[in-house]
Amino acid sequence: MWCYRGGSISTEPRINDRIRVPEVRLVGPSGEQVGIVPLAKALELAQEYDLDLVEVAASARPPVCKLMDYGKFKYESAMKAREARKNQAHTVIKEMKLRPKIDPHDYDTKKGHVVRFLKQGDKVKITIMFRGREQSRPELGYRLLQRLASDVEELGFIESNPKQDGRNMIMVLGPHKKKTEAMAEAREAQAARKAERQGVAATGEEAPAQEAAPVEAEATEEVSPEAPSTEANTEA
């Protein structure tokens, strides 16, 4: 009976003495084609350049290997992947629940959340929850959804029209801005706030030095021997 006991398959390329072929097609450190050379010769060149011999195309015949600093290569690849994930836009659907007879203050609060979500480039699912006799008045929920869509029309649009779903009525708002644009604007705003805080901090450090000069001048005038004392003239 066959049984698999191995671990996960490694996706790392083979390097240096892990390469088990008689010869390789070698690529130099600057991308130049060296040609097909014995594995021992390729490893010898790697030692001379103080680099690693990395198998970059294992399926080729013979395999293609390149001379490179593998540690530096892995670090740069990880940084590129991290930057790509950072800039990757993920569509997120937020949800906001309201009641047909919502209080004006609560409505403003909920609308503020919807505005924030749309500014971030996220979709918003608006759910009107009906209870008891409210279920016989679906027009209340419809009017509330239309009101909300009108209040935020500068930031979003109705992507899915209001529809009844059991005891609830649902509408989906989509943002005018793409997620990537919203993320870029958020980073710019954060950088601007950081620069402003640094500017305020620098101004605050210089202020005490500027104020010290007049105080020092006043102290000098009080102890100056050339100025006659007012009290001494009175006693005389």
Side-chain angles (χ1 to χ4, degrees):
M1 179 178 178
W2 182 83
C3 179
Y4 176 72
R5 296 178 180 272
S8 59
I9 299 175
S10 174
T11 58
E12 296 286 333
R14 293 186 295 183
I15 64 172
N16 300 326
D17 56 356
R18 295 182 183 177
I19 302 173
R20 304 290 185 178
V21 292
E23 59 184 14
V24 299
R25 184 177 298 276
L26 186 62
V27 180
S30 302
E32 68 276 13
Q33 296 291 332
V34 178
I36 298 176
V37 300
L39 177 62
K41 178 63 175 178
L43 290 172
E44 182 181 342
L45 289 173
Q47 289 181 351
E48 290 181 6
Y49 285 105
D50 194 21
L51 295 172
D52 299 301
L53 182 66
V54 182
E55 190 178 57
V56 295
S59 59
R61 291 292 178 269
V64 180
C65 295
K66 185 177 181 180
L67 298 175
M68 67 172 74
D69 184 340
Y70 186 60
K72 181 180 179 181
F73 170 76
K74 285 188 65 176
Y75 174 78
E76 291 177 349
S77 299
M79 289 297 100
K80 289 179 181 179
R82 180 180 178 184
E83 189 66 22
R85 289 193 300 270
K86 181 179 178 182
N87 295 327
Q88 188 175 5
H90 296 281
T91 301
V92 178
I93 299 180
K94 306 287 187 177
E95 184 173 14
M96 188 60 57
K97 297 181 179 181
L98 295 81
R99 294 292 306 281
K101 298 179 181 179
I102 188 171
D103 179 82
H105 176 73
D106 291 339
Y107 174 80
D108 291 338
T109 301
K110 300 278 188 179
K111 183 181 73 174
H113 292 312
V114 174
V115 167
R116 177 164 55 86
F117 295 148
L118 292 174
K119 283 183 176 180
Q120 293 173 353
D122 296 324
K123 296 181 181 182
V124 187
K125 175 183 176 183
I126 312 297
T127 302
I128 305 296
M129 301 179 298
F130 296 95
R131 294 180 183 174
R133 296 181 180 179
E134 293 175 347
Q135 298 180 56
S136 62
R137 301 288 304 278
E139 68 276 7
L140 296 178
Y142 182 82
R143 285 200 296 264
L144 182 58
L145 291 175
Q146 291 296 323
R147 174 190 172 189
L148 180 59
S150 177
D151 289 344
V152 299
E153 62 182 354
E154 294 183 359
L155 300 172
F157 61 95
I158 299 177
E159 185 173 287
S160 177
N161 288 315
K163 62 180 180 180
Q164 195 76 24
D165 183 15
R167 295 184 178 183
N168 301 328
M169 183 175 288
I170 298 172
M171 178 183 72
V172 178
L173 295 175
H176 289 311
K177 288 182 182 178
K178 294 182 179 179
K179 185 71 173 180
T180 52
E181 295 176 357
M183 292 171 62
E185 290 184 1
R187 286 195 295 269
E188 291 176 1
Q190 183 178 4
R193 289 194 298 269
K194 183 177 179 180
E196 184 179 356
R197 288 195 299 268
Q198 290 176 347
V200 171
T203 305
E205 291 174 0
E206 294 174 358
Q210 294 176 354
E211 295 174 356
V215 174
E216 184 178 355
E218 292 176 4
T220 304
E221 291 177 1
E222 290 178 0
V223 299
S224 175
E226 298 178 359
S229 174
T230 306
E231 295 180 0
N233 292 336
T234 303
E235 292 176 359

